[in-house]
Amino acid sequence: MAQAALTDLLQEESIRLDCTATDRLDAVRQCGQALVAVGAADETYVDAMLQREQSVSTFVGEGVAIPHGTLAGKESVKRDALVVLRFPDGVDWDGNDVRVCVGIAAAGGGHVAILSQLAEILLDPAKAERLRSATDAQQVYDLLTPDED
Amino acid sequence: MTTIDGSSIKKLIVACDAGMGSSVMLAGQLKKQLKKNGVTVEHSPVAHIPADADLVVTQAGLADRARGVVPDVPVVPFQLFLGDPKVAKIVKAIQDGTSVEV
Protein backbone atom coordinates (compact mmCIF):
# COMPACT_ATOMS: atom_id res chain seq x y z
CA MET A 1 0.00 0.00 0.00
CA ALA A 2 1.26 3.45 -0.81
CA GLN A 3 2.07 5.79 2.03
CA ALA A 4 -0.68 8.11 0.77
CA ALA A 5 -3.35 5.52 1.48
CA LEU A 6 -1.91 4.92 4.91
CA THR A 7 -1.93 8.62 5.81
CA ASP A 8 -5.52 8.85 4.54
CA LEU A 9 -6.61 6.20 7.00
CA LEU A 10 -4.30 7.25 9.79
CA GLN A 11 -3.78 10.99 9.74
CA GLU A 12 -0.78 12.44 11.49
CA GLU A 13 -3.00 14.33 13.94
CA SER A 14 -4.53 10.95 14.88
CA ILE A 15 -1.20 9.66 16.18
CA ARG A 16 -1.00 10.83 19.79
CA LEU A 17 1.99 9.40 21.55
CA ASP A 18 1.81 11.00 24.98
CA CYS A 19 -1.64 10.25 26.40
CA THR A 20 -2.75 9.40 29.91
CA ALA A 21 -5.96 7.64 30.91
CA THR A 22 -7.55 6.98 34.30
CA ASP A 23 -8.76 3.55 33.23
CA ARG A 24 -9.46 1.39 30.19
CA LEU A 25 -12.86 2.94 29.43
CA ASP A 26 -11.29 6.40 29.60
CA ALA A 27 -8.70 5.21 27.05
CA VAL A 28 -11.46 3.83 24.80
CA ARG A 29 -13.37 7.11 25.09
CA GLN A 30 -10.25 9.03 24.03
CA CYS A 31 -9.84 6.77 20.99
CA GLY A 32 -13.47 7.41 20.11
CA GLN A 33 -13.10 11.16 20.50
CA ALA A 34 -10.02 11.07 18.27
CA LEU A 35 -12.03 9.27 15.57
CA VAL A 36 -14.82 11.84 15.91
CA ALA A 37 -12.24 14.64 15.70
CA VAL A 38 -11.08 13.51 12.23
CA GLY A 39 -14.64 13.15 11.02
CA ALA A 40 -14.58 9.35 10.82
CA ALA A 41 -17.62 8.83 13.04
CA ASP A 42 -20.21 10.75 14.99
CA GLU A 43 -20.48 10.92 18.78
CA THR A 44 -22.73 7.88 19.10
CA TYR A 45 -19.85 5.72 17.90
CA VAL A 46 -17.99 6.47 21.13
CA ASP A 47 -20.83 4.81 23.06
CA ALA A 48 -20.74 1.82 20.71
CA MET A 49 -17.01 1.48 21.40
CA LEU A 50 -17.57 1.61 25.17
CA GLN A 51 -20.34 -0.95 24.87
CA ARG A 52 -18.17 -3.30 22.86
CA GLU A 53 -15.28 -2.99 25.31
CA GLN A 54 -17.54 -3.85 28.23
CA SER A 55 -18.94 -6.96 26.54
CA VAL A 56 -15.73 -8.34 24.96
CA SER A 57 -12.27 -6.90 25.59
CA THR A 58 -10.33 -5.68 22.57
CA PHE A 59 -6.96 -6.46 24.19
CA VAL A 60 -4.91 -8.32 21.58
CA GLY A 61 -1.63 -8.97 23.37
CA GLU A 62 1.83 -7.32 23.48
CA GLY A 63 0.46 -4.31 25.36
CA VAL A 64 -1.93 -3.41 22.55
CA ALA A 65 -5.71 -3.02 22.41
CA ILE A 66 -7.83 -2.26 19.34
CA PRO A 67 -10.97 -0.46 20.56
CA HIS A 68 -13.80 -0.37 18.02
CA GLY A 69 -17.58 -0.29 17.88
CA THR A 70 -20.29 -2.88 17.57
CA LEU A 71 -22.10 -4.05 14.47
CA ALA A 72 -24.96 -1.68 15.29
CA GLY A 73 -22.42 1.10 15.81
CA LYS A 74 -21.32 0.82 12.18
CA GLU A 75 -24.14 3.16 11.23
CA SER A 76 -22.29 5.99 13.01
CA VAL A 77 -19.15 5.42 10.94
CA LYS A 78 -18.65 7.95 8.16
CA ARG A 79 -15.42 6.61 6.73
CA ASP A 80 -12.72 4.02 7.47
CA ALA A 81 -10.10 5.45 9.80
CA LEU A 82 -7.62 4.51 12.49
CA VAL A 83 -6.13 6.38 15.42
CA VAL A 84 -3.07 5.44 17.44
CA LEU A 85 -2.94 6.54 21.05
CA ARG A 86 0.06 5.71 23.17
CA PHE A 87 -0.11 5.64 26.95
CA PRO A 88 3.49 5.65 28.18
CA ASP A 89 2.40 5.07 31.80
CA GLY A 90 0.22 2.12 30.82
CA VAL A 91 -3.49 1.47 31.28
CA ASP A 92 -4.81 -1.44 33.33
CA TRP A 93 -6.86 -3.52 30.89
CA ASP A 94 -8.46 -6.20 33.06
CA GLY A 95 -5.05 -7.04 34.50
CA ASN A 96 -3.14 -6.51 31.25
CA ASP A 97 -0.83 -3.54 30.86
CA VAL A 98 -1.79 -1.68 27.68
CA ARG A 99 0.59 0.90 26.20
CA VAL A 100 -0.88 1.40 22.74
CA CYS A 101 -4.49 1.62 21.55
CA VAL A 102 -5.31 1.40 17.87
CA GLY A 103 -8.83 2.79 17.61
CA ILE A 104 -10.83 1.62 14.59
CA ALA A 105 -13.80 3.02 12.72
CA ALA A 106 -14.63 0.90 9.71
CA ALA A 107 -17.65 0.69 7.50
CA GLY A 108 -15.80 -0.91 4.61
CA GLY A 109 -12.54 -2.80 4.33
CA GLY A 110 -10.07 0.03 3.80
CA HIS A 111 -8.26 -0.79 7.02
CA VAL A 112 -7.68 -4.49 6.36
CA ALA A 113 -4.10 -4.19 5.13
CA ILE A 114 -3.04 -2.08 8.11
CA LEU A 115 -4.62 -4.46 10.60
CA SER A 116 -2.84 -7.39 8.95
CA GLN A 117 0.36 -5.44 9.35
CA LEU A 118 -0.51 -4.80 13.00
CA ALA A 119 -0.85 -8.57 13.44
CA GLU A 120 2.66 -8.99 11.98
CA ILE A 121 3.98 -6.46 14.51
CA LEU A 122 2.31 -8.25 17.41
CA LEU A 123 3.84 -11.57 16.36
CA ASP A 124 7.32 -10.04 16.40
CA PRO A 125 8.30 -9.04 19.97
CA ALA A 126 11.01 -6.65 18.74
CA LYS A 127 8.58 -4.78 16.48
CA ALA A 128 5.94 -4.75 19.20
CA GLU A 129 8.46 -3.14 21.54
CA ARG A 130 9.21 -0.50 18.89
CA LEU A 131 5.51 0.29 18.64
CA ARG A 132 5.17 0.55 22.43
CA SER A 133 8.13 2.91 22.63
CA ALA A 134 7.48 5.03 19.52
CA THR A 135 8.03 8.72 20.14
CA ASP A 136 7.25 10.20 16.74
CA ALA A 137 4.58 9.64 14.13
CA GLN A 138 7.01 8.54 11.43
CA GLN A 139 8.07 5.54 13.51
CA VAL A 140 4.42 4.51 13.73
CA TYR A 141 3.94 4.95 9.98
CA ASP A 142 7.07 2.92 9.26
CA LEU A 143 5.87 0.05 11.44
CA LEU A 144 2.33 0.04 10.04
CA THR A 145 3.27 0.27 6.38
CA PRO A 146 2.31 -3.14 4.98
CA ASP A 147 5.17 -5.31 3.76
CA GLU A 148 5.35 -5.84 0.04
CA ASP A 149 4.28 -9.34 -0.86
CA MET B 1 -14.01 -31.53 21.16
CA THR B 2 -14.65 -31.23 17.43
CA THR B 3 -12.96 -33.26 14.72
CA ILE B 4 -11.88 -31.14 11.79
CA ASP B 5 -10.92 -32.77 8.50
CA GLY B 6 -8.35 -30.38 7.10
CA SER B 7 -8.77 -31.59 3.52
CA SER B 8 -12.49 -30.71 3.49
CA ILE B 9 -12.05 -27.05 4.51
CA LYS B 10 -12.47 -24.74 1.55
CA LYS B 11 -14.03 -21.72 3.24
CA LEU B 12 -12.94 -20.59 6.67
CA ILE B 13 -14.70 -17.71 8.42
CA VAL B 14 -13.17 -15.67 11.22
CA ALA B 15 -16.06 -14.11 13.10
CA CYS B 16 -16.18 -11.31 15.65
CA ASP B 17 -18.90 -9.07 16.93
CA ALA B 18 -18.60 -6.21 14.47
CA GLY B 19 -16.33 -7.84 11.90
CA MET B 20 -14.02 -4.83 11.90
CA GLY B 21 -11.32 -5.48 14.48
CA SER B 22 -10.01 -8.74 15.83
CA SER B 23 -11.48 -10.91 13.08
CA VAL B 24 -9.84 -8.74 10.45
CA MET B 25 -6.44 -9.17 12.10
CA LEU B 26 -6.70 -12.93 12.42
CA ALA B 27 -8.21 -13.40 8.95
CA GLY B 28 -5.26 -11.53 7.42
CA GLN B 29 -2.84 -13.91 9.13
CA LEU B 30 -4.75 -17.04 8.14
CA LYS B 31 -5.09 -15.85 4.55
CA LYS B 32 -1.30 -15.63 4.32
CA GLN B 33 -0.76 -19.02 5.95
CA LEU B 34 -3.35 -20.78 3.78
CA LYS B 35 -2.72 -18.96 0.51
CA LYS B 36 -1.21 -22.06 -1.10
CA ASN B 37 -4.00 -24.38 0.04
CA GLY B 38 -6.85 -22.95 -1.99
CA VAL B 39 -8.79 -21.96 1.10
CA THR B 40 -10.99 -18.87 1.11
CA VAL B 41 -10.55 -16.96 4.37
CA GLU B 42 -13.03 -14.21 5.18
CA HIS B 43 -13.88 -12.14 8.23
CA SER B 44 -17.47 -11.56 9.22
CA PRO B 45 -19.69 -10.25 11.99
CA VAL B 46 -21.06 -13.20 13.97
CA ALA B 47 -24.61 -12.33 12.93
CA HIS B 48 -23.71 -12.57 9.23
CA ILE B 49 -21.65 -15.77 9.02
CA PRO B 50 -22.31 -17.22 5.55
CA ALA B 51 -24.13 -20.56 5.54
CA ASP B 52 -21.66 -22.11 3.08
CA ALA B 53 -18.74 -21.81 5.52
CA ASP B 54 -16.86 -25.06 6.23
CA LEU B 55 -15.38 -23.88 9.51
CA VAL B 56 -15.79 -20.88 11.81
CA VAL B 57 -13.21 -19.68 14.30
CA THR B 58 -14.25 -17.03 16.80
CA GLN B 59 -13.47 -15.61 20.23
CA ALA B 60 -14.56 -17.95 23.02
CA GLY B 61 -17.18 -15.46 24.25
CA LEU B 62 -18.92 -15.42 20.87
CA ALA B 63 -18.92 -19.14 20.09
CA ASP B 64 -22.48 -19.81 21.27
CA ARG B 65 -23.84 -16.98 19.18
CA ALA B 66 -21.93 -18.29 16.17
CA ARG B 67 -23.37 -21.80 16.69
CA GLY B 68 -26.84 -20.27 16.77
CA VAL B 69 -26.27 -18.62 13.39
CA VAL B 70 -24.78 -21.65 11.62
CA PRO B 71 -25.80 -24.75 13.63
CA ASP B 72 -24.43 -27.17 11.01
CA VAL B 73 -20.95 -25.66 10.74
CA PRO B 74 -18.19 -26.55 13.21
CA VAL B 75 -17.29 -23.57 15.40
CA VAL B 76 -13.89 -23.49 17.07
CA PRO B 77 -13.48 -20.93 19.88
CA PHE B 78 -10.07 -19.38 20.50
CA GLN B 79 -8.63 -17.50 23.47
CA LEU B 80 -5.69 -15.64 21.96
CA PHE B 81 -6.03 -13.38 18.95
CA LEU B 82 -2.62 -14.32 17.66
CA GLY B 83 -0.70 -17.51 18.16
CA ASP B 84 -3.60 -19.49 19.67
CA PRO B 85 -2.62 -23.19 19.82
CA LYS B 86 -6.03 -24.37 18.54
CA VAL B 87 -5.86 -22.09 15.53
CA ALA B 88 -2.30 -23.27 14.84
CA LYS B 89 -3.51 -26.90 14.91
CA ILE B 90 -6.25 -26.14 12.41
CA VAL B 91 -3.86 -24.37 10.07
CA LYS B 92 -1.51 -27.34 10.17
CA ALA B 93 -4.35 -29.82 9.52
CA ILE B 94 -5.48 -27.82 6.49
CA GLN B 95 -1.93 -27.51 5.17
CA ASP B 96 -1.29 -31.23 5.62
CA GLY B 97 -4.79 -32.38 4.65
CA THR B 98 -5.12 -34.33 7.92
CA SER B 99 -7.75 -34.57 10.65
CA VAL B 100 -7.38 -32.90 14.01
CA GLU B 101 -9.29 -32.82 17.31
CA VAL B 102 -9.75 -29.32 18.67
Side-chain angles (χ1 to χ4, degrees):
Chain A
M1 186 197 283
Q3 179 93 343
L6 179 60
T7 50
D8 265 2
L9 274 169
L10 175 60
Q11 295 177 6
E12 194 161 348
E13 64 186 278
S14 302
I15 302 179
R16 305 177 182 180
L17 299 175
D18 202 13
C19 302
T20 54
T22 52
D23 58 23
R24 111 193 125 92
L25 294 180
D26 182 28
V28 170
R29 199 173 293 116
Q30 290 181 37
C31 288
Q33 298 295 355
L35 287 163
V36 172
V38 290
D42 62 40
E43 287 282 345
T44 56
Y45 190 67
V46 182
D47 295 329
M49 290 174 78
L50 291 167
Q51 207 178 46
R52 154 70 205 225
E53 199 62 53
Q54 288 170 94
S55 64
V56 190
S57 168
T58 62
F59 176 70
V60 289
E62 285 290 345
V64 177
I66 53 166
H68 56 271
T70 55
L71 185 57
K74 266 190 183 181
E75 287 164 21
S76 342
V77 175
K78 297 177 190 161
R79 64 178 179 86
D80 297 351
L82 302 176
V83 297
V84 173
L85 272 61
R86 177 172 168 258
F87 299 90
D89 298 334
V91 182
D92 175 30
W93 218 276
D94 284 338
N96 297 295
D97 180 26
V98 163
R99 300 293 167 124
V100 176
C101 286
V102 180
I104 304 167
H111 64 309
V112 169
I114 296 183
L115 279 199
S116 300
Q117 187 57 28
L118 180 62
E120 297 282 322
I121 294 170
L122 300 182
L123 289 167
D124 181 336
K127 281 188 183 170
E129 174 55 31
R130 274 163 57 202
L131 181 65
R132 287 193 298 269
S133 57
T135 49
D136 71 65
Q138 192 55 48
Q139 292 170 321
V140 175
Y141 280 132
D142 288 347
L143 283 164
L144 286 176
T145 301
D147 296 330
E148 300 288 329
D149 67 342
Chain B
M1 295 290 268
T2 316
T3 305
I4 308 289
D5 174 7
S7 63
S8 72
I9 308 294
K10 294 294 166 229
K11 186 166 185 174
L12 191 163
I13 301 296
V14 185
C16 75
D17 177 64
M20 71 167 92
S22 45
S23 65
V24 174
M25 268 182 26
L26 182 58
Q29 283 301 306
L30 295 181
K31 224 176 255 182
K32 274 188 195 165
Q33 292 170 347
L34 298 173
K35 195 154 54 179
K36 293 191 188 108
N37 305 94
V39 178
T40 305
V41 180
E42 291 173 3
H43 60 91
S44 160
V46 165
H48 299 166
I49 296 171
D52 64 347
D54 297 312
L55 179 64
V56 175
V57 296
T58 191
Q59 271 170 284
L62 296 172
D64 286 341
R65 270 171 61 195
R67 290 188 183 105
V69 175
V70 283
D72 300 328
V73 181
V75 173
V76 176
F78 63 82
Q79 304 287 345
L80 299 170
F81 285 93
L82 298 165
D84 189 278
K86 272 191 190 177
V87 176
K89 270 191 190 174
I90 291 168
V91 167
K92 192 164 182 338
I94 294 173
Q95 287 170 338
D96 299 348
T98 53
S99 286
V100 68
E101 295 264 333
V102 286

